[in-house]
Amino acid sequence: MASESAETEESPCPFVISLPGVYAPQHDTRLLMVALDREHVAAGADVLDLGTGSGALAVRAAQLGGRVTAVDIARCAVATTRLNALSHRQRITVRRSDLASAMQDRRYDLILCNPPYVLSAYGLSSPVAYGPTSPALSAGGRPTIPGVRTRTSRPCQ
C-alpha cells in the first residue's frame, strides 16, 4: 500500500505518494523545502535531486521554476518520482543512477540531497562493512546508520 504525505500550513511539502519500498517524506523533508523556498530558485536553473526517493524535493524545485534532474539508484524510487512528477504536472528528468554517473559531464546550479539515514538493527557502536551481503545495506541497497530500523515496507533495487 502506498503512503501519502500532504501539504500543511507549516510546510510547503507537496502532496506526494510513496510506493512500497520508498521512504515517505518526513519532517526533515519539510525543513529542506523551507530552505529551498528561501533559495529563490531562478527560472531555468539546473537542479539535481540526488537520491530523490519520493521526488518531493524534485517536485518542489520544479514548481519553483527549476529545470530538475532527479536520480536514485532504487528502481521503485525512480518509479515513485515519475508518478509524483506526473501527478503534479511537472517536467522532471528522472533517471536511475548513482552519484558518479549523475555528475558526469554535467554542471548544476543547485544540488539537493536528503540521504537515507535510517538505522539498522546492529546498533550505533558496531563497526559495519559495506558489501553486497552486508546487513547495513538494508535500505534499498543503500548504506544505513547502524542502530535505527528502516521505515520502508520492503527494500527495492
Side-chain angles (χ1 to χ4, degrees):
M1 184 166 129
S3 64
E4 300 171 352
S5 173
E7 186 170 345
T8 67
E9 288 181 27
E10 310 98 37
S11 156
C13 191
F15 174 83
V16 295
I17 295 171
S18 291
L19 296 176
V22 178
Y23 194 78
Q26 304 289 318
H27 181 69
D28 58 336
T29 303
R30 290 192 258 313
L31 290 174
L32 285 170
M33 287 192 185
V34 168
L36 181 59
D37 285 348
R38 290 181 184 154
E39 284 297 312
H40 303 291
V41 176
D46 287 317
V47 179
L48 172 65
D49 183 10
L50 186 60
T52 192
S54 68
L57 292 174
V59 167
R60 186 65 185 154
Q63 289 172 336
L64 295 172
R67 188 173 36 226
V68 180
T69 300
V71 298
D72 203 294
I73 200 161
R75 285 182 179 94
C76 59
V78 169
T80 299
T81 299
R82 286 182 178 146
L83 175 68
N84 285 315
L86 286 170
S87 71
H88 286 275
R89 296 187 175 128
Q90 297 298 316
R91 179 170 283 171
I92 298 172
T93 301
V94 185
R95 287 194 234 145
R96 183 170 183 258
S97 178
D98 60 13
L99 171 63
S101 300
M103 299 296 290
Q104 190 174 29
D105 300 326
R106 285 292 312 266
R107 295 182 73 101
Y108 296 93
D109 299 306
L110 179 65
I111 299 175
L112 304 170
C113 186
N114 187 11
Y117 53 89
V118 293
L119 298 176
S120 70
Y122 295 92
L124 286 171
S125 61
S126 62
V128 179
Y130 296 102
T133 59
S134 169
L137 299 178
S138 61
R142 296 167 287 186
T144 60
I145 298 171
V148 174
R149 293 180 210 146
T150 182
R151 298 189 75 187
T152 59
S153 58
R154 66 179 170 83
C156 63
Q157 295 184 16

